[in-house]
Amino acid sequence: MKRAWLSVTRKRGKSAILFAVILILGNVIAGAIAVNQSTQNVEKQIKNQLGSLATIDIDYEALMANSEGGASMEEIQPLPEELIKQIGERSEVKQYDYLREAMIAVDKFKPYSFRPEVENENIMVSGSMDSWVYLTGTNLLQPLDFEEDTVNLTQGRFFTEEEQRTGKRVGLISEEVAQENGLTVGDTMVLDGQFIDYSSGGDPEKQKGNDYPIEIVGIFKNTSLEKANEQGQEGGVSSFAFDDRPFNRIYMPNDAVKTIVEEERAGRQAAFPATDPGSDEDFFTPQFILNQPEDAEQFKQEVTPLLPNGYKVNASTDEYDRVGTSMNRLSQISSYVVVIAVIASLIIISLIIVLFTRDRKYELGIYLSLGERRKYVFAQIVIELLLIGVSAMLISLVTGNMLGKMVSESLLTSSMLEANQTGMEQFFVGAPKIDQATINEAFRVQYTLSYVIAFLATGIVTILLSAVVPLLYILRLNPKKIML
């Protein structure tokens, strides 16, 4: 150790050269590791924000791709309740529900319709000219949307066990629908249905439908509205598409929705006998809350083969995959840079040490001729490398972090510009949405314990491996020939 210290301090020129090389390469490695870990942290943070909800839905895109004249629904079979329960018992699932859904056309009852206060050509409202409400049946006392904070109960209560067991017609409505119709908790609202026939090709034919009295037991607020507005205003998106269906959703017990669907089907058949009443089979929309967002990929891979033809698994974390392209690209680039920089470091440092060791063969020959063991000569060279290398790495730990920030900010800015030029961004209210600006905001290149450990471990291992070739040179030294 004493000889190693004297060698480093007395041969300052050579020490400075080796220090500069390790410093430069260390900056590259440190910056790449910082960016790589930051992208992984962003993915984890965003996916936790999106939640761990998975659903099984009809794969309309696949149907369209496989159909010459459009999507065909004849081959789609309803999901059996037994299969839903089987999937719900999987270890990745914390809680599950299967929803029975229905659409009711109403006459005088007022669904909520979004009306922008300020005319803005970038705001589009999706929907039809007719008035519809959307019944969502649940098997739980508290629907999963409330568990996932998509909606929050602001007044009233959830369902009781008796209401679920008997299929009582009670419901949870949004604040917007309650305000439109002057309703409060405890009131009984009446959905004055109407039957509409679009088969004529011209103006639809309408007839008086069934009336459905529903007791209001709770009122909820759709929390996705504020998030979508913030994304539309602060995210700098080119346009904003608003879907008012989640505000016109009425949560009810599954059996209550089932009886309404049966009455609707019978009433429509009586009103329009010539039209096809459609299948009397129940289509469910299963929802699964997973233990953690990281389980989503495994859940999708293992559940997909169990599903009938025409279905697919959607996860809330899919939203990250839609907009996380720049993060994934940045993570790949940083991984490649780490690998290339480590290989380059091994080659360059090894060559430099070999050259310096050849110049010191007389010094090493004297040690060996005096009876010094080769392992101590090896140890001296390694200690010299560590003295210079660790000091250079500690400095590059700071400068490399700054380098990583500058490079990643530049890449993210260019990625953001590309994303803004690709076209219209849509934010359909009712599910958490993450845009590119949100991901960029969450991206932080900073010091963490894992980052420091990963960098120092990578650097030290690289330096030690760089000493292998010089040590082989020392092993071949013959002190007798050197001293002649």
Side-chain angles (χ1 to χ4, degrees):
M1 291 181 65
K2 181 178 179 181
R3 292 200 307 263
W5 173 253
L6 292 174
S7 177
V8 169
T9 55
R10 290 178 178 176
K11 299 175 182 179
R12 298 173 185 175
K14 293 181 179 180
S15 299
I17 293 174
L18 186 59
F19 179 88
V21 170
I22 297 177
L23 179 64
I24 294 172
L25 295 173
N27 271 280
V28 177
I29 297 175
I33 292 177
V35 171
N36 185 268
Q37 291 204 346
S38 297
T39 54
Q40 293 176 3
N41 292 335
V42 167
E43 181 175 357
K44 184 176 181 181
Q45 176 183 340
I46 294 297
K47 287 187 174 181
N48 284 333
Q49 181 179 342
L50 288 170
S52 53
L53 178 67
T55 61
I56 299 177
D57 303 301
I58 295 176
D59 191 353
Y60 292 104
E61 293 182 2
L63 289 176
M64 290 294 293
N66 296 330
S67 302
E68 295 178 358
S72 174
M73 295 292 294
E74 286 80 3
E75 299 180 357
I76 303 299
Q77 299 297 322
L79 288 171
E81 289 190 55
E82 295 76 13
L83 176 60
I84 298 174
K85 293 178 180 179
Q86 176 188 345
I87 297 174
E89 297 300 322
R90 292 183 60 85
S91 59
E92 304 97 337
V93 179
K94 180 172 65 175
Q95 191 177 19
Y96 75 99
D97 190 14
Y98 46 101
L99 310 179
R100 180 181 276 110
E101 299 184 311
M103 296 171 54
I104 305 295
V106 292
D107 185 13
K108 295 181 182 179
F109 186 85
K110 300 177 182 178
Y112 173 72
S113 178
F114 175 68
R115 296 177 292 271
E117 299 179 359
V118 181
E119 292 294 331
N120 187 338
E121 61 182 7
N122 290 328
I123 298 180
M124 298 184 301
V125 181
S126 63
S128 64
M129 299 300 293
D130 299 312
S131 299
W132 297 86
V133 293
Y134 305 88
L135 307 183
T136 299
T138 176
N139 257 11
L140 302 176
L141 303 182
Q142 178 178 337
L144 292 186
D145 286 346
F146 293 85
E147 293 272 356
E148 288 292 288
D149 290 331
T150 303
V151 289
N152 288 332
L153 188 71
T154 55
Q155 299 179 42
R157 59 173 175 82
F158 294 111
F159 307 124
T160 64
E161 292 184 1
E162 181 183 358
E163 291 168 346
Q164 272 288 7
R165 185 177 64 256
T166 60
K168 186 176 181 181
R169 292 186 179 178
V170 292
L172 309 172
I173 64 174
S174 68
E175 292 180 346
E176 290 76 14
V177 168
Q179 185 176 358
E180 288 282 344
N181 297 274
L183 299 169
T184 59
V185 174
D187 292 345
T188 298
M189 64 180 180
V190 178
L191 302 181
D192 52 340
Q194 57 178 339
F195 301 123
I196 306 175
D197 182 21
Y198 297 95
S199 61
S200 61
D203 292 334
E205 182 181 353
K206 300 182 180 181
Q207 290 191 24
K208 179 70 176 70
N210 302 326
D211 290 339
Y212 303 106
I214 300 174
E215 180 186 349
I216 302 171
V217 297
I219 296 177
F220 64 83
K221 179 179 181 180
N222 196 314
T223 56
S224 299
L225 174 62
E226 297 177 358
K227 297 178 182 177
N229 274 327
E230 292 174 0
Q231 290 174 344
Q233 294 171 3
E234 300 177 5
V237 297
S238 55
S239 60
F240 180 71
F242 190 95
D243 182 7
D244 56 19
R245 285 176 295 179
F247 298 93
N248 295 313
R249 178 175 292 146
I250 302 173
Y251 294 94
M252 299 179 66
N254 250 339
D255 288 342
V257 176
K258 180 179 181 180
T259 59
I260 292 177
V261 169
E262 292 171 348
E263 292 178 20
E264 275 288 288
R265 186 180 293 119
R268 179 177 175 80
Q269 179 64 18
F272 304 107
T275 60
D276 182 5
S279 172
D280 58 354
E281 296 179 291
D282 289 325
F283 280 82
F284 298 103
T285 302
Q287 292 183 338
F288 305 90
I289 293 183
L290 308 180
N291 294 320
Q292 52 188 358
E294 290 77 11
D295 294 334
E297 195 60 36
Q298 178 182 351
F299 180 80
K300 291 172 67 174
Q301 291 178 358
E302 298 185 3
V303 169
T304 299
L306 305 176
L307 302 180
N309 183 38
Y311 286 90
K312 67 175 182 178
V313 180
N314 292 319
S316 55
T317 52
D318 293 343
E319 180 65 14
Y320 176 84
D321 299 330
R322 184 183 71 84
V323 296
T325 305
S326 63
M327 283 293 112
N328 295 332
R329 187 187 305 122
L330 200 56
S331 179
Q332 289 179 351
I333 292 174
S334 60
S335 298
Y336 295 151
V337 170
V338 170
V339 174
I340 295 172
V342 168
I343 295 175
S345 300
L346 287 173
I347 297 173
I348 295 173
I349 297 174
S350 296
L351 292 176
I352 292 176
I353 299 173
V354 167
L355 292 175
F356 288 172
T357 305
R358 290 182 64 183
D359 290 340
R360 299 173 58 186
K361 65 179 182 179
Y362 291 107
E363 174 192 346
L364 302 178
I366 291 173
Y367 295 151
L368 295 174
S369 64
L370 291 176
E372 182 67 284
R373 295 182 180 180
R374 290 183 186 270
K375 65 178 182 180
Y376 292 129
V377 178
F378 295 162
Q380 176 183 338
I381 301 298
V382 171
I383 292 173
E384 291 177 13
L385 275 175
L386 290 176
L387 285 173
I388 299 174
V390 171
S391 58
M393 285 193 299
L394 292 175
I395 296 177
S396 60
L397 190 64
V398 179
T399 55
N401 189 273
M402 298 170 59
L403 177 65
K405 285 182 180 180
M406 292 187 294
V407 172
S408 58
E409 288 175 0
S410 176
L411 290 175
L412 287 177
T413 301
S414 62
S415 298
M416 190 62 190
L417 291 175
E418 292 173 5
N420 287 339
Q421 293 169 358
T422 55
M424 179 180 66
E425 290 285 345
Q426 295 182 340
F427 296 90
F428 292 102
V429 178
K433 295 291 178 181
I434 303 296
D435 63 355
Q436 188 66 50
T438 306
I439 291 182
N440 293 350
E441 181 65 25
F443 184 82
R444 291 285 184 274
V445 177
Q446 56 189 2
Y447 293 104
T448 61
L449 181 61
S450 60
Y451 161 60
V452 174
I453 293 176
F455 170 66
L456 291 178
T458 303
I460 291 174
V461 170
T462 302
I463 291 174
L464 292 177
L465 290 177
S466 301
V468 171
V469 176
L471 294 181
L472 293 177
Y473 174 79
I474 296 174
L475 189 63
R476 296 177 57 189
L477 286 177
N478 188 328
K480 183 177 180 180
K481 290 183 179 179
I482 294 175
M483 302 306 294
L484 287 178

